[in-house]
Amino acid sequence: MMTRRSVKSFASVGALFVGLLAGNVAAASSASADTLRACNGVLKVQTPGGIYNYYIPYHSSADGGAGAGFNCYVIQGNQGEDVRAIQRSLHWCYGKTGVAVDGIFGSITFNALKDVQSDLGLVPDGEYGDFTSRKLRWPLYKATTGERVNLCSSR
C-alpha cells in the first residue's frame, strides 16, 4: 500500500527522470544540429587510381579543421560553387537538362533534386544534405586535363 509520503517520493523521482530525459534529448538535438553546417564551397576528390576527379559540396571551416567536411546542407535560395556542383550532378548524371549550371538554387534545381531524391528512395524534400550527398552521383573529369568525361561516380 502506498502512503502519501511514498506517492510524493514517486512523483519527485518521476519528475526528475522526465527532466533528465528532456535535457538529454535537447543535448542530443543540439549536438546533431552543430555537426550539420551550410556548404560553402566544393572539394575536388580524386577517384582511386587518380585518373578522374569529381567535385562535391563541402563545408570548409575558418580554422581549416574542426567542422570541415561533407556533412553540410544546401537549400533553395543558396548560391555558389556548391550549388553548381549539385546542378552538374543533376544535369550530367541524371539527365535533368533543364537545370542550368548557374550556381543559383532556384525552383528548377529544387524540383529536379526532389525528382532525383525520389528516384533514389530518399525523402524528396528538395534539400541537399547528408543522405542526399551519400546517394548522388557526380560527373567525372580527367585529372590531367580537367576535361569532363561521360561518366559519373558516387562518393
Side-chain angles (χ1 to χ4, degrees):
M1 182 167 124
M2 292 188 102
T3 65
R4 182 177 287 214
R5 183 177 202 159
S6 62
V7 169
K8 283 184 180 178
S9 295
F10 183 73
S12 296
V13 170
L16 178 63
F17 178 74
V18 169
L20 288 173
L21 181 61
N24 286 338
V25 170
S29 297
S30 65
S32 61
D34 288 344
T35 59
L36 190 63
R37 295 177 167 83
C39 299
N40 58 6
V42 294
L43 184 69
K44 178 170 72 172
V45 179
Q46 198 166 64
T47 60
I51 297 171
Y52 302 110
N53 296 325
Y54 62 92
Y55 300 86
I56 186 168
Y58 185 77
H59 173 82
S60 60
S61 61
D63 65 5
F70 298 119
N71 191 17
C72 60
Y73 65 89
V74 181
I75 58 174
Q76 190 171 9
N78 289 158
Q79 296 183 22
E81 283 302 313
D82 47 355
V83 175
R84 276 189 181 81
I86 294 166
Q87 290 170 329
R88 286 184 188 107
S89 172
L90 296 170
H91 187 93
W92 296 110
C93 299
Y94 295 96
K96 301 295 182 182
T97 56
V99 174
V101 181
D102 59 6
I104 300 169
F105 197 135
S107 61
I108 294 172
T109 301
F110 176 82
N111 289 324
L113 184 57
K114 279 178 58 173
D115 288 346
V116 170
Q117 287 172 321
S118 182
D119 291 346
L120 294 173
L122 298 169
V123 174
D125 60 8
E127 297 180 359
Y128 175 89
D130 187 45
F131 293 120
T132 301
S133 77
R134 293 173 189 272
K135 292 275 193 165
L136 278 185
R137 294 187 321 261
W138 305 97
L140 294 176
Y141 302 84
K142 289 183 182 177
T144 54
T145 64
E147 176 187 351
R148 190 183 67 77
V149 295
N150 198 23
L151 298 170
C152 293
S153 176
S154 55
R155 184 174 96 150

